[in-house]
Amino acid sequence: MVRNEVYPERMLSDSEKFERIIKTINKRFTTYGYKRIKTSAFEQYDLYSKVKSSINQNEMIKVIDHTGQVLVLRPDVTIPITRELVENFPDLLSELRYFYVQEVFRQPFDKNDSIERTQAGVEYFCDSSPEADAEVIALACHLMRDLGFSDIKIELGHAGFFNELVQNLPLTSLQIDQLKSLIQAKNVVEIGPFLQNLDITDEVREVIERIPFLYGNPVDVSERTTGIVLTEKMQGTLDYLMDVYSILKMYGLEQYIVMDLGLINHMGYYSGVIFQGYVERFGKPVLMGGRYDELGNEFGARLPAIGFACEIESLVKATDSREVTSRLSIDVKITYADSQLEQAIAIANELRERNYSVLSFSTHKEQVDPRQSVYLIRLDKDGNSLLYKDKVTPFSDLKALLELLVGGLN
Amino acid sequence: MTHLTIAMAKGRTADKALAFFERAGIRFSEYHDKSRKLVIYDDENKVKLIFVKAVDVPTYVEKGAADIGIVGKDTIMENPVDVYELLDLGIGKCELAVAGFPDKQFPSSALLTVASKYPAVTKAYFDSKGIRIETIKLNGSIELAPLIGMADVIVDIVESGKTLKENGLVVLETIADVSARLIVNKASYATRTSQIQQVISDLKAALE
């Protein structure tokens, strides 16, 4: 049988966790110089239909306003931020760092999933450089450590690697999609037969077949790429990744980094470094990001940028199995005899002014909220007392109580 | 280090797969045909084996409840999940095929009725050929559907073709070759890379 209090307890602890995670995120993003911004909940449908992104049009929640115009409930944050910046800065004159924590809305494939998710992320508008990209990845690692995860792995890849490889091949977009999903699944069983049916040279075929194996320690992976680099541009992307890695080493983060050249552009607009983060015993990535230098071009401006985002609901779930959070407890609980109501309110007010969290109950409702408190105050007809660490101290009035709380108890 | 969890369904494929595991140095001496245990550990206590329904194996692996899963390609095709598919164990070989009566003509105007345990695969296959169909989802004895006139053709896995033959049916078209695959959770692969790669390379050596 389910005990009555279990469900509210759980809800309570989930939303406490939720708030704490957001607080941690706010703090960490701020230390890297990011400023929080907000975007509108409603966006023009046209904005999303013209930009290529991972958001399927069927996933968007559409609304029609009174003029008959179709709007969507914000399915992502990066695109509106970029659009808004373009209106204000047609060219990137200085670097800009923004972060956001807000809801995104998408129709989930799985009916049990929720339409609304809370996304937290950063967008760093700056020219592409290994230092900038490494800093954003370091911020991602730093944040994960703040949240209490020690077993983090960040997979690092580059959108340019695969694009360069398939760019000039005579493949239909359906074939490229099939090839992408085979590589994303590291499906070494079927990739060979699939490539046999395509009109490509043996050289290219061999390179593509080896991509799923280019996974692991960045130094090892880069050694294994000898012989498969077909163009100067491919070599360039590899060198760039190794530069990012060597800066991450300076941050002391090398144990968290794996290189995955099979990591393919899943967002449509990524153009450079791509990365995603995993923690142990949670089946999905907890964060995803990458460089999107071309997104600004869609709105007619040059706005190179890199960013990442994570979903708070996933982070709450990922912390479920481990005890990283201690319950937030109440500071003071007041129980009062009905005749002492006025005094109870006065004390509660006074303590709340001093930033204590306070709950007060009439004596016959004492068990309404089962949470533990640090201090317990009893107001009876024949006198007042303060219970702290099993010690009962009587007090006469508010002033005496405040003196006790400030240090008179020791 | 915590256990590596492997999910598979009990049955012939599991027996064969466990033989490969044994050759790869992972022994489950607790396991025997009659055992009803759903969770067993290998002798060196490094790997935990859980027995689940075959159709649930991809779900267990995608959600990270199991690090590795052994499951037929047919099940993966019907229930596509975001996992790595790293190895073909070459066991449980059969084919997914369209079967029906030989030489029967279908009127091109009417909707083709197809009975199958695999409605998603069926729809995707006929969609790709531009044929509109009505799918009837059945859970067993699929061969019966054309016999009693409930469906024009069926989509099912065919091993020897014996059941089809005894019921007067033949394979009309092959959709895909099927065998048991090893799938891996993406987060597990990232966080426990060397442990998982070791198991895979041991298994690969055992397959040869």
Side-chain angles (χ1 to χ4, degrees), chain A residues 219-354:
Chain A
V219 179
D220 295 348
V221 171
S222 118
E223 275 165 16
R224 273 182 276 148
T225 55
T226 40
I228 73 153
V229 177
L230 300 178
T231 66
E232 240 173 74
K233 216 170 155 195
M234 278 166 81
Q235 187 59 52
T237 61
L238 279 177
D239 292 344
Y240 190 91
L241 281 178
M242 287 315 285
D243 288 345
V244 172
Y245 176 65
S246 58
I247 298 169
L248 286 168
K249 274 207 296 213
M250 295 175 202
Y251 280 97
L253 298 171
E254 65 265 39
Q255 73 270 31
Y256 301 128
I257 309 295
V258 276
M259 185 124 85
D260 182 8
L261 293 178
L263 194 61
I264 293 180
N265 191 359
H266 45 277
M267 283 297 283
Y269 52 63
Y270 287 145
S271 57
V273 164
I274 342 176
F275 59 96
Q276 54 187 26
Y278 289 101
V279 297
E280 214 172 316
R281 284 186 298 283
F282 190 70
K284 291 187 299 179
V286 288
L287 67 91
M288 286 185 170
R291 177 164 275 286
Y292 51 97
D293 289 347
E294 263 104 66
L295 185 59
N297 300 357
E298 307 251 3
F299 306 105
R302 202 191 67 89
L303 272 182
I306 179 167
F308 74 86
C310 45
E311 220 170 64
I312 315 286
E313 287 82 359
S314 295
L315 293 172
V316 170
K317 257 195 221 151
T319 53
D320 238 14
S321 50
R322 44 200 109 193
E323 290 307 311
V324 290
T325 48
S326 59
R327 292 279 319 280
L328 264 187
S329 61
I330 292 295
D331 297 327
V332 183
K333 238 179 184 182
I334 303 172
T335 61
Y336 55 88
D338 287 343
S339 59
Q340 307 300 314
L341 176 61
E342 193 179 346
Q343 198 193 356
I345 291 175
I347 292 178
N349 264 345
E350 206 51 52
L351 292 179
R352 286 180 183 134
E353 283 292 334
R354 288 170 167 75

Side-chain angles (χ1 to χ4, degrees), chain A residues 37-93:
Chain A
I37 54 167
K38 291 193 169 196
T39 70
S40 163
F42 295 98
E43 291 291 345
Q44 302 287 338
Y45 177 69
D46 292 346
L47 172 67
Y48 284 94
S49 54
K50 80 174 179 200
V51 175
K52 60 172 178 189
S53 73
S54 76
I55 308 149
N56 192 312
Q57 306 202 346
N58 299 328
E59 282 180 81
M60 293 192 234
I61 311 287
K62 296 157 201 104
V63 185
I64 297 174
D65 75 2
H66 71 99
T67 63
Q69 200 173 48
V70 182
L71 305 173
V72 288
L73 271 171
R74 173 179 62 220
D76 115 301
V77 186
T78 304
I79 292 174
I81 288 186
T82 307
R83 201 265 332 267
E84 205 172 307
L85 276 183
V86 169
E87 284 167 9
N88 298 311
F89 306 93
D91 202 358
L92 186 69
L93 298 171

Side-chain angles (χ1 to χ4, degrees), chain A residues 164-176:
Chain A
E164 176 70 9
L165 198 56
V166 296
Q167 201 176 32
N168 296 318
L169 298 181
L171 302 181
T172 64
S173 63
L174 176 68
Q175 284 170 325
I176 289 188

Side-chain angles (χ1 to χ4, degrees), chain B residues 160-178:
Chain B
S160 60
K162 213 171 145 225
T163 321
L164 287 183
K165 207 174 160 195
E166 284 181 7
N167 290 294
L169 303 171
V170 293
V171 169
L172 301 172
E173 281 162 54
T174 300
I175 298 176
D177 289 322
V178 171

Side-chain angles (χ1 to χ4, degrees), chain A residues 283, chain B residues 7 56-70 82-84 183-186:
Chain B
D56 292 335
V57 171
T59 313
Y60 273 78
V61 176
E62 189 187 34
K63 301 272 178 208
D67 302 298
I68 295 177
I70 308 285
D82 190 17
V83 296
Y84 291 135
I183 57 175
V184 176
N185 173 274
K186 289 190 170 181

